[in-house]
Amino acid sequence: MDGHTIGVFGTDKEQKARFMANIAKKSEVEGMIVYHRNEAGKRYSLLDDPQYPEKVQGYSRIASICDYAYYLLPKGGKLSPPDGELAVLLESYGLPGTVEIIDGAAPPEVPKSAFKGLKLADYPTDERSGDSSIIDLSRIGPSPNTPPSGALVYIDRAFSVKGVGTVVLGFILGGKVSVHDKLRAVPSSPEKTVEVKGIQVNDEDYESAGAGIRVGLSLKGVDARDLDKASWLDDGSFKLTERPTFQFSRSPYYRQEVGGRDLHLQLPGELAIAKITDEGSGMFAATLPNPVPTWEGMKVVLVDLNGKGLRVAGGGTVRL
């Protein structure tokens, strides 16, 4: 089984909830909101962050793991600074997507002019009724941030289940995970492996699952409390480093320099505190508290949680 992960971005919480409820089935409300839809043999996970715009961390994480974006134009086409911040976030990741114009919120020309110069302005538009359950998923393909090889799982929850043992929930970001696979827990214990005892997708058992799937994995050889600091499971093929270097493109709307500062580096799924060093010629390095999995071409974003107005500084591409 494989699938796709879709971020639903917008500033109107009621509008997002209505849009998602009409096209998919809600499955999780703890942390990020997750909806699922099965179509043409694929499983689609739609993700929303209920804490935006108060906090940007949730949407930053969603953007880092999703294949595609739906941006919901606000009612009346009245854009706010948080809408602009979302446009910069999508730009920083180079995410493909669609602008959803619901119940005639505004003419299609509005996002094209309002976001001129940003990738969101080039998104195709979909004019739809707020009550419609029809959605065109044919444009959705692999994430621009998919690893070229190797199995990688981002973990967002780890806990113990009586009679089962250690269970983690997460998203398969690349490759395939099968029962009996041996994986590293990064960064907590990369020196040893854990075994996949079982795989569940929406409470159904599977022998394997591929990229784009939200999975529950039962693990052998590790206690849930030992995974408190683990953010990923991988097959051992990824380079681990505490100092990734990346070609960085600062957003023209972010006015501050980033070199020599403590910011947050958005990795695939995980937001980590980082000391940023300017290496020259557009290259920067991030000194992290723990080693993280990397690959050539991996997308990262610098986030300034204390930023006034815009909190997304820009995006980068890891160079090994």
Side-chain angles (χ1 to χ4, degrees), residues 90-108:
L90 299 175
E91 174 77 13
S92 297
Y93 266 109
L95 279 173
T98 297
V99 174
E100 298 292 341
I101 301 176
I102 300 173
D103 293 332

Side-chain angles (χ1 to χ4, degrees), residues 151-195:
L152 181 66
V153 182
Y154 165 61
I155 302 170
D156 57 79
R157 292 173 61 192
F159 48 92
S160 294
V161 176
K162 188 174 181 180
V164 176
T166 300
V167 173
V168 297
L169 294 181
F171 295 89
I172 301 178
L173 303 182
K176 182 174 75 170
V177 176
S178 301
V179 173
H180 304 308
D181 277 358
K182 302 292 181 60
L183 303 173
R184 298 186 299 186
V186 181
S188 62
S189 56
E191 69 284 350
K192 66 177 183 178
T193 59
V194 300
E195 181 179 343

Side-chain angles (χ1 to χ4, degrees), residues 42-275:
K42 286 187 178 290
R43 186 173 181 83
Y44 296 85
S45 298
L46 289 85
L47 312 179
D48 177 30
D49 172 36
Q51 298 186 359
Y52 191 78
E54 291 79 13
K55 295 183 178 181
V56 73
Q57 295 95 312
Y59 261 152
S60 181
R61 173 172 62 158
I62 289 171
S64 75
I65 62 174
C66 70
D67 304 332
Y68 198 82
Y70 285 132
Y71 168 72
L72 274 56
L73 197 67
K75 297 172 185 175
K78 295 179 181 178
L79 302 177
S80 62
D83 288 291
E85 183 174 64
L86 290 180
V88 173
L89 179 63
L90 299 175
E91 174 77 13
S92 297
Y93 266 109
L95 279 173
T98 297
V99 174
E100 298 292 341
I101 301 176
I102 300 173
D103 293 332
E109 299 77 35
V110 169
K112 295 188 182 302
S113 60
F115 299 118
K116 187 177 181 180
L118 295 171
K119 190 175 181 68
L120 198 151
D122 297 325
Y123 281 7
T125 55
D126 176 24
E127 298 181 72
R128 60 187 292 112
S129 162
D131 296 320
S132 175
S133 62
I134 299 171
I135 191 79
D136 180 9
L137 302 172
S138 63
R139 299 188 183 105
I140 301 173
S143 167
N145 204 24
T146 299
S149 62
L152 181 66
V153 182
Y154 165 61
I155 302 170
D156 57 79
R157 292 173 61 192
F159 48 92
S160 294
V161 176
K162 188 174 181 180
V164 176
T166 300
V167 173
V168 297
L169 294 181
F171 295 89
I172 301 178
L173 303 182
K176 182 174 75 170
V177 176
S178 301
V179 173
H180 304 308
D181 277 358
K182 302 292 181 60
L183 303 173
R184 298 186 299 186
V186 181
S188 62
S189 56
E191 69 284 350
K192 66 177 183 178
T193 59
V194 300
E195 181 179 343
V196 179
K197 286 198 307 180
I199 299 173
Q200 284 200 339
V201 179
N202 202 27
D203 297 326
E204 292 186 17
D205 292 326
Y206 288 84
E207 286 298 308
S208 65
I213 296 294
R214 172 75 165 160
V215 292
L217 305 177
S218 59
L219 303 177
K220 180 180 179 181
V222 67
D223 193 277
R225 62 175 172 266
D226 295 330
L227 296 175
D228 284 347
K229 294 183 179 180
S231 299
W232 300 275
L233 296 173
D234 85 335
D235 61 1
S237 66
F238 291 85
K239 178 183 177 181
L240 303 183
T241 180
E242 296 178 1
R243 195 174 185 271
T245 57
F246 52 95
Q247 193 82 35
F248 181 69
S249 177
R250 187 181 67 179
S251 170
Y253 303 100
Y254 184 82
R255 306 301 184 186
Q256 300 182 65
E257 296 295 331
V258 299
R261 296 177 59 201
D262 289 331
L263 296 170
H264 281 79
L265 185 69
Q266 181 64 65
L267 301 152
E270 189 67 18
L271 190 66
I273 184 70
K275 178 73 173 182

Side-chain angles (χ1 to χ4, degrees), residues 18-45:
R18 183 183 176 199
F19 170 78
M20 295 174 76
N22 280 315
I23 63 172
K25 183 178 180 180
K26 184 184 286 188
S27 60
E28 295 180 47
V29 294
E30 186 174 336
M32 73 174 78
I33 298 173
V34 182
Y35 282 71
H36 285 121
R37 178 181 177 120
N38 294 325
E39 186 169 311
K42 286 187 178 290
R43 186 173 181 83
Y44 296 85
S45 298

